[in-house]
Amino acid sequence: MKSDWKETERQAEQRRLMVERQIRARGVRDERVLEAMRTIPRHLFVPPALRPRAYEDSPLPTSEGQTISQPYIVAWMTDLLRLKGEEVVLEVGTGSGYQAAILTRLAAKVYTIERISALAESARTILSELGLDNVEVVVGDGTRGLPEHAPYKGIIVTAGGPRVPDVLVEQLDEGGRLVMPVGPSSLQMLTVVEKRGGRIFTEQKGSCVFVPLIGQHGWE
Ligand code: SAM
């Protein structure tokens, strides 16, 4: 990662406090996840007018009617993937590129897919400006996954869908974990699917609210 990006001392301090008060305090203890959240400059992924609010404990609007998720939710979902550093990971819903940037610090290779090409393009620009070179941004319907690079040890879906698409579970590697918000648009349940010994185990972790996952195996 390049180190010539700009921030004020206040932003650096706000990010440190974000990790301690919003993330560690809520139970995320994996030091690698906390370090990634401390390292990636979240303010660069939010629209310039909202930068003073980049380290608040809330999601923020981006462009095209989409959002950048609350920092704690990003850390929680990342933590649930239980990455060790060697994995190939797929993210569905690139949005601002912030979650993908976090994943680059924790996995060997990240593929991230976004259905809105303008968002994919701006995420690609910022990820490249930060020198994060183990991530590839693809435009398409992520409810179909990205079969050309499967299987994945981790799949993270950052939009809420009616069910976990079978095709994503098929693209999950043995020992791999998938994390996705599942349920109606008003409230979803953060769901973890694990593939072990060729069997599928599903667990519900808690409620959350995401923008809708729109596509062939999502909402219309
Ligand atoms: N991970 C993002 C970040 O770090 O900023 C936040 C994602 S935002 C909550 C959800 C994103 O999912 C939106 O950008 C939306 O366009 C995208 N999306 C919705 N349905 C999709 C689909 N079928 N394939 C790919 N992206 C999709």
Side-chain angles (χ1 to χ4, degrees), residues 27-176:
V28 175
R29 297 285 148 78
D30 183 333
E31 271 308 322
R32 294 181 65 244
V33 174
L34 298 174
E35 181 57 23
M37 299 293 299
R38 262 192 301 267
T39 305
I40 298 295
R42 181 176 164 91
H43 59 278
L44 299 184
F45 292 86
V46 308
L50 291 177
R51 281 194 185 155
R53 299 183 52 198
Y55 296 101
E56 284 182 8
D57 191 12
S58 64
L60 290 171
T62 54
S63 52
E64 311 285 337
Q66 301 302 321
T67 53
I68 177 171
S69 306
Q70 180 189 12
Y72 167 63
I73 294 283
V74 173
W76 183 29
M77 291 178 79
T78 305
D79 196 39
L80 288 171
L81 286 173
R82 293 201 196 136
L83 299 172
K84 299 274 179 280
E86 302 302 314
E87 299 87 351
V88 179
V89 173
L90 174 67
E91 180 197 21
V92 176
T94 312
S96 68
Y98 177 66
Q99 171 75 73
I102 297 290
L103 292 170
T104 65
R105 308 291 78 202
L106 298 160
K109 177 81 192 190
V110 179
Y111 293 96
T112 178
I113 181 164
E114 170 57 55
R115 60 183 282 274
I116 301 174
S117 53
L119 291 179
E121 192 47 46
S122 71
R124 213 176 266 135
T125 303
I126 165 88
L127 291 165
S128 140
E129 281 172 2
L130 286 173
L132 300 171
D133 52 13
N134 59 337
V135 54
E136 216 170 285
V137 182
V138 177
V139 177
D141 176 5
T143 68
R144 299 178 190 164
L146 195 59
E148 53 270 48
H149 300 293
Y152 303 98
K153 279 284 189 218
I155 299 180
I156 178 169
V157 182
T158 61
R163 66 195 71 82
V164 177
D166 289 343
V167 67
L168 290 186
V169 178
E170 282 158 22
Q171 291 174 33
L172 199 58
D173 205 353
E174 170 59 29

